[in-house]
Amino acid sequence: MCGIIGYIGCQNAADVVFKGLKRLEYRGYDSAGIAVIVGNKLQIRRSVGKLCNLEKELKRDPINSNIGIGHTRWATHGKPSEENAHPHTDSTNSIVIVHNGIIENYAELKLKLQKEVRKFSSETDTESIVHLIKKHYDKDLFKAVLKTLKELKGSYALGVICKDEPNKIVCARQDAPLIIGIGKGENFIASDVSALLPYTRNMIFLENGDVAEITEDKVVVKNIENSIQSREIKNIKWNAMQSEKNGYKHFMLKEIFEQPRTIEDTFRDRIYPDDGKVCIEEVKFKEEDIIKISSIYVVGCGTAYHAGLVSKFLFENFAKIPTEVDVASEFKYRNPILNNKVLVIVVSQSGETADTLAALRLAKKNGCQTLAVCNIVGSSISREATYTIYTHCGPEIGVASTKAFTGQLAVFYMLALDLASKKRTLTNKELKRYLKELWEVPLKVNKFLSIAETVNDIAKFFEHKKNFLYLGRHVNYPLALEGALKLKEISYIHAEGYAAGEMKHGPIALIDEFMPVVAIAIKSKIYEKIISNIEEVKARGGVVIAIAHDGDKKIASKSDHVIYVPSTDEFISPIITAIPLQLFAYYISVSLGCDVDQPRNLAKSVTVE
Ligand code: M6R
């Protein structure tokens, strides 16, 4: 949550920082601001709401400088307002900061600082930091920041500049992501890689406890005790175009349409259908480690949690390993039974979700083997887990997770089949069959996307409905949850996902002509069961939109609308049924005029508890 960026070099810092903020806006979008140093004065522009408001402000009152910092906010302490927008300054307007994270002891710091007659002008936790830096300042910004950090409790990615030292940015990281971009005669800081891709692909991923001083031609990283730290410069493979809309109306639509490629990229060089082999280089479990695994916990939040729910079916059915799936915010407080025979798999697109990171740390503390499924290279979760399997999805900018979900499923299929192969719980023939099915998934998704408009045609009938039920069974039950989550987060329509067999235990009371039901009814061992559930809905005047396999003639007579998807094995089907669910939510959101990519109250990366 919240994005920060900083620049020092010979370009106009306000331009570079503003463009970077645009790429970070998905992290928070209730206010934004920029600070630069002009002459020996700080110049600050801030505004409430989206970046277009800040843009107007910058046009009305331009600023030009070679050094600047910027922030896009998702409010934690204090409502979205200009006073609470970052950057924040000390009372003498000498030092200015941007901050992502939460300062837990801000209230006591504030009380102390107020007694020392420091005037606060916002309700934020961040403002205490800048007053503290000013208090410790004695002609050396870096030292003042070091002294300040020793008094802070909580998480931060900080960018600080001072009008009396206009040739440097000081930055620091603790439990919030921060990257330094290395340019030629210019350097950058940012919350994530995508903000810097138009300028450089050479990046340093700061570690917790790092504090850095950045000038236009030098980067020095130290720890809080002022000792030099050596940090590798990594070359990032993503390119700037991947963070653009490329002609699509929304990032979400672009990301939905990217899925044939992202799924294929995630499988490439890892599955070999002809040989019945999976080879995931990143995972170095020995066969004896695998035999030792008594159970698996899969932990994540939101969409990542739903991918985890699908994985339970795969680990249990393919590899015969008992698997539990937990929402990260529950896992860490419920005292789960953890030991060195338990494998804990944390799933996170961003690799920065605070609850998932905490779950990973709990697992490590209890001696579990840990594995992360992540999209962002160098993210906190990927660095702390013993092994990380990356989804090769490229940057996901739309707040609603789409290609990351199918990427996570792709990883789970490979991992479950790999474990099954090593444990010999599937025959080589079965392995080959599943791998062949997986190999065909990108083609099938592509085929379905060529008729995406049919989903739009159906969505048009339902755009004014106030409630939806999503039903699924077995491996597609998590997809019912995911379909409902997609709809509610981007269109603000109330939607619930249910295991279809649960209908009779309560939810069927909701059925009438005003409650559309989306039923995932692909061919499977329990196809007839879901057909019965559909009949029960129809018998009570409900309206059914079924998602069914191509060629299923029966379903048309049972439902009001059918979305046909290419047929595949039932275990593999979720990676395909996900696509119509994503599109259905997308088209409804567009027709309601909602902000598809940046839905209200949300942020892409939830880095606070
Ligand atoms: O980055 P993560 O995968 O850890 O994020 C987890 C959730 O915050 C995320 O999936 C969220 O639920 C999405 N908005 C769903 O579309």
Side-chain angles (χ1 to χ4, degrees), residues 403-597:
K403 61 178 178 173
F405 178 67
T406 49
Q408 288 157 358
L409 293 184
V411 167
F412 281 130
Y413 286 119
M414 293 189 292
L415 185 63
L417 290 173
D418 191 25
L419 293 176
S421 147
K422 295 195 166 114
K423 286 190 73 196
R424 295 178 185 82
T425 45
L426 288 180
T427 63
N428 195 257
K429 195 171 157 205
E430 287 168 317
L431 277 168
K432 280 185 178 168
R433 186 172 71 76
Y434 283 124
L435 289 172
K436 193 165 166 291
E437 288 272 4
L438 288 182
W439 198 242
E440 286 169 0
V441 165
L443 268 178
K444 290 180 179 175
V445 172
N446 210 11
K447 184 175 168 214
F448 177 73
L449 286 170
S450 69
I451 53 151
E453 270 303 312
T454 58
V455 182
N456 195 11
D457 295 341
I458 296 175
K460 284 190 181 114
F461 288 97
F462 296 98
E463 60 197 36
H464 296 301
K465 296 288 178 192
K466 299 279 176 260
N467 298 287
F468 276 81
L469 266 187
Y470 282 70
L471 300 181
R473 294 185 83 119
H474 191 249
V475 75
N476 276 300
Y477 162 48
L479 271 286
L481 300 176
E482 175 60 7
L485 173 62
K486 284 291 88 88
L487 186 69
K488 64 185 133 189
E489 73 177 324
I490 60 170
S491 67
Y492 321 139
I493 294 173
H494 174 238
E496 295 291 336
Y498 266 97
E502 275 289 290
M503 282 295 279
K504 291 191 222 33
H505 302 284
I508 202 160
L510 293 168
I511 299 297
D512 61 19
E513 72 269 35
F514 305 111
M515 172 71 85
V517 174
V518 179
I520 305 166
I522 54 106
K523 281 280 161 65
S524 70
K525 281 191 292 294
I526 45 148
Y527 173 74
E528 292 303 334
K529 307 275 177 210
I530 190 109
I531 292 292
S532 306
N533 298 130
I534 290 176
E535 307 230 34
E536 286 153 13
V537 171
K538 289 298 302 165
R540 284 155 184 86
V543 179
V544 174
I545 306 145
I547 295 175
H549 275 164
D550 276 343
D552 180 350
K553 296 213 174 78
K554 183 169 170 182
I555 197 84
S557 63
K558 307 277 175 198
S559 332
D560 300 273
H561 303 272
V562 186
I563 301 172
Y564 287 105
V565 294
S567 77
T568 185
D569 177 89
E570 62 177 301
F571 281 105
I572 311 294
S573 64
I575 198 167
I576 294 180
T577 50
I579 319 291
L581 297 170
Q582 296 165 354
L583 282 169
F584 187 72
Y586 171 79
Y587 288 126
I588 290 202
S589 174
V590 171
S591 65
L592 291 176
C594 296
D595 192 340
V596 176
D597 286 331

Side-chain angles (χ1 to χ4, degrees), residues 1 252 299-306 347-357 373-376 381 396 398-402 404-405 408 482 485-486 489-490 599 602-606:
M1 331 208 96
M252 183 180 177
V299 188
C301 301
T303 289
Y305 165 68
H306 295 155
V347 199
S348 174
Q349 186 282 131
S350 62
E352 299 294 347
T353 299
D355 288 324
T356 312
L357 183 58
V373 179
C374 266
N375 191 39
I376 305 291
I381 288 176
E396 188 181 68
V399 164
S401 192
T402 52
F405 178 67
Q408 288 157 358
E482 175 60 7
L485 173 62
K486 284 291 88 88
E489 73 177 324
I490 60 170
L602 292 174
K604 181 76 182 158
S605 168
V606 183

Side-chain angles (χ1 to χ4, degrees), residues 220-269:
V220 179
V221 183
K222 294 188 173 177
N223 66 11
I224 204 164
E225 301 305 335
N226 209 11
S227 309
I228 296 270
Q229 302 295 299
S230 129
R231 296 282 173 256
E232 189 192 343
I233 300 177
K234 294 210 165 120
N235 185 265
I236 302 302
K237 301 278 177 284
W238 290 0
N239 63 51
M241 286 296 281
Q242 285 177 288
S243 306
E244 305 288 342
K245 282 191 198 146
N246 297 344
Y248 284 92
K249 195 168 170 203
H250 298 101
F251 278 110
M252 183 180 177
L253 190 63
K254 175 192 164 223
E255 287 158 7
I256 291 173
F257 273 81
E258 278 176 332
Q259 288 175 106
R261 186 186 54 72
T262 53
I263 297 169
E264 189 174 330
D265 286 353
T266 303
F267 286 147
R268 183 170 304 116
D269 297 331

Side-chain angles (χ1 to χ4, degrees), residues 368-388:
C368 302
Q369 311 198 46
T370 61
L371 174 65
V373 179
C374 266
N375 191 39
I376 305 291
V377 177
S379 56
S380 304
I381 288 176
S382 67
R383 282 186 298 173
E384 292 194 26
T386 317
Y387 302 119
T388 298

Side-chain angles (χ1 to χ4, degrees), residues 292-299 322-326 328 330-346 355-371:
K292 233 174 50 188
I293 297 172
S294 61
S295 61
I296 297 179
Y297 274 104
V298 185
V299 188
T323 302
E324 275 200 56
V325 189
D326 239 328
E330 292 296 318
F331 177 81
K332 60 182 188 180
Y333 292 119
R334 77 172 175 85
N335 213 3
I337 297 164
L338 300 173
N339 55 51
N340 64 0
K341 291 194 186 124
V342 176
L343 169 64
V344 174
I345 304 179
V346 286
D355 288 324
T356 312
L357 183 58
L360 171 63
R361 288 180 180 159
L362 178 70
K364 286 181 74 177
K365 199 168 135 208
N366 283 278
C368 302
Q369 311 198 46
T370 61
L371 174 65

Side-chain angles (χ1 to χ4, degrees), residues 117-357:
V117 209
R118 288 184 202 269
K119 214 171 128 267
F120 278 68
S121 50
S122 79
E123 302 157 284
T124 64
D125 54 332
T126 301
E127 200 184 338
S128 300
I129 311 175
V130 71
H131 289 298
L132 259 185
I133 299 175
K134 176 64 186 171
K135 179 180 158 185
H136 294 306
Y137 185 71
D138 185 15
K139 297 194 182 109
D140 188 333
L141 183 64
F142 191 81
K143 280 196 182 145
V145 171
L146 283 187
K147 282 189 183 160
T148 300
L149 297 181
K150 290 187 175 153
E151 294 182 50
L152 301 183
K153 286 190 191 131
S155 59
Y156 49 78
L158 284 181
V160 192
I161 56 176
C162 171
K163 74 176 178 57
D164 298 322
E165 297 178 56
N167 59 346
K168 68 177 69 150
I169 300 175
V170 176
C171 66
R173 175 203 155 121
Q174 181 65 44
D175 289 333
L178 191 58
I179 290 154
I180 298 175
I182 311 293
K184 287 200 179 99
E186 58 182 1
N187 286 313
F188 311 77
I189 62 167
S191 295
D192 78 21
V193 165
S194 58
L196 304 184
L197 285 173
Y199 309 103
T200 178
R201 289 204 204 161
N202 294 328
M203 317 230 180
I204 295 173
F205 293 88
L206 290 181
E207 306 269 345
N208 276 343
D210 285 352
V211 194
E213 183 172 288
I214 295 157
T215 59
E216 56 188 23
D217 46 22
K218 205 167 165 200
V219 172
V220 179
V221 183
K222 294 188 173 177
N223 66 11
I224 204 164
E225 301 305 335
N226 209 11
S227 309
I228 296 270
Q229 302 295 299
S230 129
R231 296 282 173 256
E232 189 192 343
I233 300 177
K234 294 210 165 120
N235 185 265
I236 302 302
K237 301 278 177 284
W238 290 0
N239 63 51
M241 286 296 281
Q242 285 177 288
S243 306
E244 305 288 342
K245 282 191 198 146
N246 297 344
Y248 284 92
K249 195 168 170 203
H250 298 101
F251 278 110
M252 183 180 177
L253 190 63
K254 175 192 164 223
E255 287 158 7
I256 291 173
F257 273 81
E258 278 176 332
Q259 288 175 106
R261 186 186 54 72
T262 53
I263 297 169
E264 189 174 330
D265 286 353
T266 303
F267 286 147
R268 183 170 304 116
D269 297 331
R270 287 165 160 174
I271 63 172
Y272 300 91
D274 293 341
D275 307 326
K277 282 215 167 81
V278 179
C279 176
I280 311 174
E281 283 237 314
E282 299 99 313
V283 183
K284 311 236 182 297
F285 289 131
K286 296 192 199 91
E287 290 211 11
E288 56 265 32
D289 296 331
I290 292 168
I291 306 295
K292 233 174 50 188
I293 297 172
S294 61
S295 61
I296 297 179
Y297 274 104
V298 185
V299 188
C301 301
T303 289
Y305 165 68
H306 295 155
L309 289 174
V310 175
S311 80
K312 175 180 168 70
F313 290 85
L314 311 177
F315 292 130
E316 294 191 340
N317 283 279
F318 294 170
K320 308 289 176 221
I321 305 175
T323 302
E324 275 200 56
V325 189
D326 239 328
V327 167
S329 53
E330 292 296 318
F331 177 81
K332 60 182 188 180
Y333 292 119
R334 77 172 175 85
N335 213 3
I337 297 164
L338 300 173
N339 55 51
N340 64 0
K341 291 194 186 124
V342 176
L343 169 64
V344 174
I345 304 179
V346 286
V347 199
S348 174
Q349 186 282 131
S350 62
E352 299 294 347
T353 299
D355 288 324
T356 312
L357 183 58

